[in-house]
Amino acid sequence: MEYASTIDIGARKQRRDGINEDGIATAVFENQHRQTERPVGVFVLGDGVGGEDCGDVAAFLATTVVRKRLTDALLGPGTDVPERFGIDSYEPTPPTADADPNGAVSEGKIKTAIQEGIDAAHQHIQEFAQSIGGRPATTLVVGVYVDGHLHYGWVGDSRIYVINERHEETKQLTRDHAVTNDLLEKGEIDDEVYARIHPDATAITNVVGGSAHGQPSVDVEFGSTEIYRDDIILFTSDGLVDAFPDNRSLRETYQQATDMDAAREEIRESLVTDDEIRDIVLGADDLREGVEQLVSFANDRGGKDNLSLTLARDRGTTPSPDSPPLRGAATDTRELTNQETIIDPPEEAAESGSATDSGDSGGSTRAGSEANASSGGSRRSSQDGGTAKVVSAGEGDPPTAAVTIAGDETIFEIVDGVTIGRTTDGSDQSPNIGLVVGDDASVEPHHVRLECDDDGYWQVRDISAVGTFVETGDGTWTVLLSSEGADLHREHGFDPSTAADGDLDETTRLEEGMAFTFEDPRKEDPITFRFFSSVEHAQNRTRWSDSTDGRPFNGFST
């Protein structure tokens, strides 16, 4: 397998004595026997965010931690399974430990390994953030190439492309986790060209790291595609496609234009387009020359930001089909891997609205693998443009809103007065959305109620004896505690005002994407819900785990 990588500070930061916040980590290993080759490639690229907060360290930690995790997971099963080389005279005795030689490098296991690696990197960066008192973060693209397929995951707006030589086409495999993409999906922007020069063109909605007190897991988006011998894979930070430094002048050209077609063409001549990337890569003599020419081209266009690039290809795989293969972001379905604490309502429970025993006979207060959407007549419906299940968690007249569980695609449509909490079998007061635990567990049946006031604002009200933690706008958490709960705490000699930063209260107003949890978020694996003002907003979410002034990642730009 061939590959070439480079990082460059970029022309503008070079002039300003800036730093390079990008990072790349790569591992390629392979076995060859007779006419059979079996390469496995691990490619990780990160674009650090926030120089003053050591974004370069975030990118370094993320890329190296993820590479190590994936290398450890794939090094053996990726190449040294003898059965994969078709040696007729070889019969292993005793049988190999792995009865299914395909299993260790299956798509599902690779994606789980990517998720776990990114989560580990995220926690490393959180620890670093705590030590420096900052908010270092990074985007990340991760690709694992094995058996002629690329399995990949990403966070943020760094990208993966496939450039096909036979059909002379470029396909972007990733969707940017960016403010402008959200605006395009909502129809607030209807022009792809204007999205490239929008004032928020570099604002992202999803990163690895960020706050020292954020969630322990990252929402990673995934995809897989077949790779052919005439494909070249490109991993890149946004410094390549956003090379032009003066978007303001291009916006003025766009806004003042009378001939929009001519204005769009003029703007495209300043930006880096997919066709230009294709021509440079396919015109280069080899991959090393390709990355060098891409860097030179971006710097000639202005070199606005750091550049990191990897090109890779496998000439030993199958040729492209006669028709261009259907692939790219438009053909991939968003997928989030399930973690141990994620609640995925089974279809039977979602449709019947009945509680289901989680099977947690140990009486643990950790949530099981099922959820209960009860007392409201649950429903399930398909949604255009996504795979998320929508479950009704209450009956009533509008207004309605939605909540999700971190890392799960299910959307719970809620109405005024819906309650959320833990429940046990036989509870007389099951919440509308309940996390099922073992029969012997000592838990509060009700924890929190979501309400809509006369002015149309939603708020969360604690109705438990133990409290509810809510993520505030500055990335910290505050505790809500009902008056009865506060009195109970004081009876036991505990001052509840010390439980979290901020004033102790029973209610607080909810903003778009705000998170709340029943457990102290500083402890391991809290179950976290997230509020959205509508099902549509919940469907369009990428990641809202860290917000400022109610907006996702305010101030984080790449």
Side-chain angles (χ1 to χ4, degrees):
M1 188 172 196
E2 308 168 45
Y3 74 96
S5 299
T6 192
I7 59 174
D8 187 84
I9 194 172
R12 187 170 69 158
K13 289 191 174 183
Q14 181 75 51
R15 292 191 299 269
R16 298 180 178 182
D17 295 324
I19 63 172
N20 195 333
E21 297 179 83
D22 288 4
I24 295 176
T26 306
V28 174
F29 39 95
E30 55 189 339
N31 278 0
Q32 301 180 27
H33 180 74
R34 296 179 181 173
Q35 283 74 48
T36 301
E37 298 179 4
R38 194 171 189 225
V40 175
V42 175
F43 305 94
V44 192
L45 182 149
D47 179 357
V49 178
E52 70 281 1
D53 284 335
C54 299
D56 62 319
V57 178
F60 173 78
L61 287 172
T63 53
T64 54
V65 168
V66 172
R67 178 184 59 182
K68 183 181 187 305
R69 288 297 189 103
L70 289 174
T71 300
D72 290 346
L74 299 171
L75 182 57
T79 59
D80 61 4
V81 179
E83 292 83 349
R84 301 303 297 270
F85 289 87
I87 306 173
D88 296 336
S89 60
Y90 175 73
E91 294 184 5
T93 53
T96 58
D98 185 1
D100 177 13
N102 288 312
V105 289
S106 67
E107 177 181 343
K109 288 192 176 182
I110 289 174
K111 290 180 178 179
T112 297
I114 291 174
Q115 176 77 61
E116 291 174 349
I118 292 177
D119 284 345
H122 177 65
Q123 291 162 27
H124 274 74
I125 297 171
Q126 286 180 319
E127 293 171 2
F128 174 62
Q130 189 170 12
S131 70
I132 67 170
R135 295 163 61 85
T138 185
T139 70
L140 210 60
V141 286
V142 182
V144 174
Y145 175 78
V146 62
D147 292 340
H149 287 80
L150 180 70
H151 308 296
Y152 54 93
W154 75 96
V155 180
D157 64 349
S158 294
R159 296 179 175 183
I160 305 176
Y161 292 88
V162 171
I163 303 162
N164 184 270
E165 186 175 18
R166 178 179 181 184
H167 300 290
E168 296 186 346
E169 66 174 10
T170 302
K171 293 292 186 181
Q172 182 180 342
L173 300 181
T174 54
R175 297 183 184 91
D176 294 351
H177 295 159
V179 169
T180 50
N181 262 13
D182 292 347
L183 296 175
L184 283 165
E185 290 176 3
K186 295 173 184 177
E188 296 180 27
I189 298 177
D190 58 6
D191 190 333
E192 292 275 0
V193 170
Y194 182 67
R196 293 282 301 272
I197 58 175
H198 190 275
D200 290 330
T202 60
I204 54 177
T205 58
N206 196 6
V207 293
V208 181
S211 169
H213 306 291
Q215 296 305 303
S217 182
V218 182
D219 285 351
V220 182
E221 196 162 358
F222 293 98
S224 290
T225 190
E226 189 167 359
I227 298 297
Y228 303 100
R229 70 176 58 167
D230 35 14
D231 282 334
I232 297 175
I233 309 165
L234 168 63
F235 302 84
T236 179
S237 65
D238 69 337
L240 173 61
V241 294
D242 292 328
F244 189 73
D246 188 9
N247 279 353
R248 180 178 300 178
S249 66
L250 296 181
R251 279 198 302 276
E252 291 175 354
T253 298
Y254 184 93
Q255 293 163 350
Q256 297 170 8
T258 55
D259 184 343
M260 291 307 301
D261 290 339
R264 290 190 185 97
E265 185 59 33
E266 180 181 346
I267 291 169
R268 287 192 186 98
E269 290 177 358
S270 297
L271 303 176
V272 176
T273 66
D274 290 356
D275 288 347
E276 289 171 321
I277 293 173
R278 175 202 62 200
D279 293 343
I280 291 170
V281 171
L282 297 183
D285 291 338
D286 53 35
L287 300 186
R288 170 55 55 190
E289 182 178 294
V291 296
E292 292 173 352
Q293 289 186 2
L294 286 173
V295 168
S296 297
F297 182 74
N299 281 327
D300 288 344
R301 285 286 168 92
K304 179 173 116 176
D305 200 0
N306 306 143
L307 296 118
S308 50
L309 300 162
T310 296
L311 291 174
R313 72 186 308 167
D314 177 13
R315 295 184 183 274
T317 189
T318 58
S320 294
D322 292 337
S323 299
L326 182 64
R327 55 189 177 186
T331 66
D332 291 327
T333 300
R334 186 164 194 259
E335 176 185 350
L336 299 177
T337 63
N338 287 337
Q339 305 301 299
E340 290 182 359
T341 59
I342 284 169
I343 314 306
D344 189 7
E347 294 185 13
E348 296 83 358
E351 292 171 355
S352 67
S354 61
T356 307
D357 185 0
S358 71
D360 186 358
S361 59
S364 169
T365 58
R366 175 65 50 208
S369 61
E370 299 170 350
N372 167 31
S374 65
S375 68
S378 301
R379 66 177 173 83
R380 198 170 165 270
S381 64
S382 62
Q383 300 294 324
D384 293 338
T387 61
K389 292 178 292 188
V390 178
V391 179
S392 174
E395 291 180 340
D397 296 327
T400 62
V403 294
T404 62
I405 302 173
D408 184 31
E409 286 285 77
T410 303
I411 298 169
F412 294 93
E413 185 178 27
I414 63 170
V415 297
D416 183 20
V418 157
T419 58
I420 300 175
R422 296 192 184 282
T423 185
T424 56
D425 258 2
S427 172
D428 294 333
Q429 291 183 313
S430 294
N432 298 87
I433 302 174
L435 308 183
V436 182
V437 296
D439 294 341
D440 299 330
S442 175
V443 296
E444 289 291 317
H446 283 136
H447 283 267
V448 67
R449 177 181 292 123
L450 301 186
E451 304 169 337
C452 187
D453 64 22
D454 294 338
D455 296 324
Y457 292 105
W458 285 85
Q459 63 182 10
V460 55
R461 179 184 300 276
D462 178 71
I463 51 176
S464 74
V466 293
T468 301
F469 287 81
V470 179
E471 187 182 35
T472 57
D474 59 358
T476 62
W477 295 78
T478 188
V479 67
L480 303 180
L481 194 59
S482 65
S483 56
E484 293 83 0
D487 291 342
L488 182 63
H489 278 249
R490 293 187 183 98
E491 287 177 11
H492 289 81
F494 174 66
D495 180 3
S497 65
T498 63
D501 297 332
D503 296 331
L504 186 66
D505 205 348
E506 185 173 329
T507 65
T508 192
R509 181 176 292 178
L510 288 166
E511 297 177 347
E512 194 77 41
M514 186 175 281
F516 55 93
T517 180
F518 307 143
E519 299 145 310
D520 189 331
R522 293 166 292 192
K523 296 181 180 178
E524 185 177 358
D525 295 337
I527 303 298
T528 303
F529 287 83
R530 199 163 293 281
F531 170 84
F532 295 91
S533 59
S534 68
V535 169
E536 180 184 4
H537 285 181
Q539 289 171 320
N540 290 333
R541 72 193 188 277
T542 50
R543 178 168 168 81
W544 296 74
S545 67
D546 202 353
S547 59
T548 300
D549 298 331
R551 288 168 40 189
F553 293 104
N554 184 34
F556 277 1
S557 299
T558 57

